[in-house]
Amino acid sequence: AQVLALGCSFAAIDANLSSIEPVQRIVDETIEALGGIDILVNNAGIIRRQDSIDFSEDDWDAVMNTNLKTVFFLTQAAARHMLSSGGGKVINIASLLSFQGGIRVPSYTASKSGLAGLTKILANEWAAKGINVNAIAPGYFDTNNTEALRADETRNRSILERIPAGRWGQPSDIGGAAVFLASGASDYVHGVTLPVDGGWLAR
């Protein structure tokens, strides 16, 4: 409703990204509904937590399939259209665990580290062909996913003490980075994983 109120087109396409089965349908339905694909934001992701010594193959595969495999093949399918229509922008949503190891999330860390590498290789191959491929690595954000952390006084305090900005990120902080990477202002930016973390990695 908010998009339509701005006088822009909007189409919702439902798909389960735990496998690559719907990838071509997503691209086809998007082109049919909107006339093309200019920007792809790979924002779907899941996480499984368990000590690495006990981590299961099922949990490994579920995370890697959604966070890395489907991202690659959806990007490939969208890029085929972009290459034939003059270019476009791909924005992957990475993680601080694209840079750090974390604990008890081996498949998530592997997938997000892999996503940073994937961002680079696709940029290498497509930069001269009019497609920018970059990534955003969010830090700690004020969302439903972090509600339990923020409600835990000790954990909340320890997180805030580590963030130089002294606050949790707001959704608009990621939105600003996404607008930049989706716009002509970033036309000479390729293969970057941009932390939006309030300075967390600087500590």
Side-chain angles (χ1 to χ4, degrees):
Q2 291 176 326
V3 172
L4 293 174
L6 295 172
C8 300
S9 301
F10 180 85
I13 298 169
D14 292 330
N16 182 341
L17 297 179
S18 64
S19 78
I20 67 170
E21 183 276 328
V23 160
Q24 193 57 52
R25 175 178 65 81
I26 294 169
V27 171
D28 292 343
E29 290 185 12
T30 300
I31 294 170
E32 181 179 358
L34 301 177
I37 299 175
D38 304 294
I39 302 162
L40 171 65
V41 180
N42 285 307
N43 190 46
I46 63 171
I47 193 167
R48 297 285 187 272
R49 300 180 187 276
Q50 181 60 269
D51 291 342
S52 294
I53 198 69
D54 296 318
F55 208 82
S56 71
E57 183 179 4
D58 286 346
D59 282 345
W60 178 272
D61 289 345
V63 172
M64 295 298 282
N65 285 345
T66 301
N67 293 11
L68 196 56
K69 182 177 180 180
T70 299
V71 168
F72 172 75
F73 285 102
L74 180 56
T75 303
Q76 179 191 69
R80 285 179 174 144
H81 172 77
M82 291 177 180
L83 289 170
S84 67
S85 63
K89 306 278 188 171
V90 175
I91 303 168
N92 295 320
I93 303 302
S95 168
L96 292 182
L97 297 190
S98 298
F99 304 98
Q100 300 178 319
I103 56 172
R104 303 187 78 244
V105 287
S107 58
Y108 186 83
T109 299
S111 71
K112 293 301 186 177
S113 296
L115 189 56
L118 190 64
T119 299
K120 294 173 185 176
I121 187 175
L122 296 181
N124 289 341
E125 293 191 23
W126 297 341
K129 299 178 179 179
I131 299 178
N132 296 72
V133 184
N134 293 290
I136 297 170
Y140 284 90
F141 273 72
D142 182 355
T143 66
N144 292 340
N145 287 345
T146 60
E147 186 174 353
L149 293 176
R150 288 179 285 111
D152 182 328
E153 183 178 341
T154 302
R155 188 82 172 97
N156 183 63
R157 183 172 59 253
S158 69
I159 289 170
L160 287 174
E161 287 173 350
R162 167 71 190 266
I163 301 173
R167 67 173 178 86
W168 290 75
Q170 298 298 317
S172 60
D173 293 318
I174 293 183
V179 168
F180 165 66
L181 292 176
S183 75
S186 65
D187 280 353
Y188 201 59
V189 179
H190 296 276
V192 167
T193 298
L194 173 64
V196 182
D197 64 355
W200 176 275
L201 290 174
R203 292 289 289 270

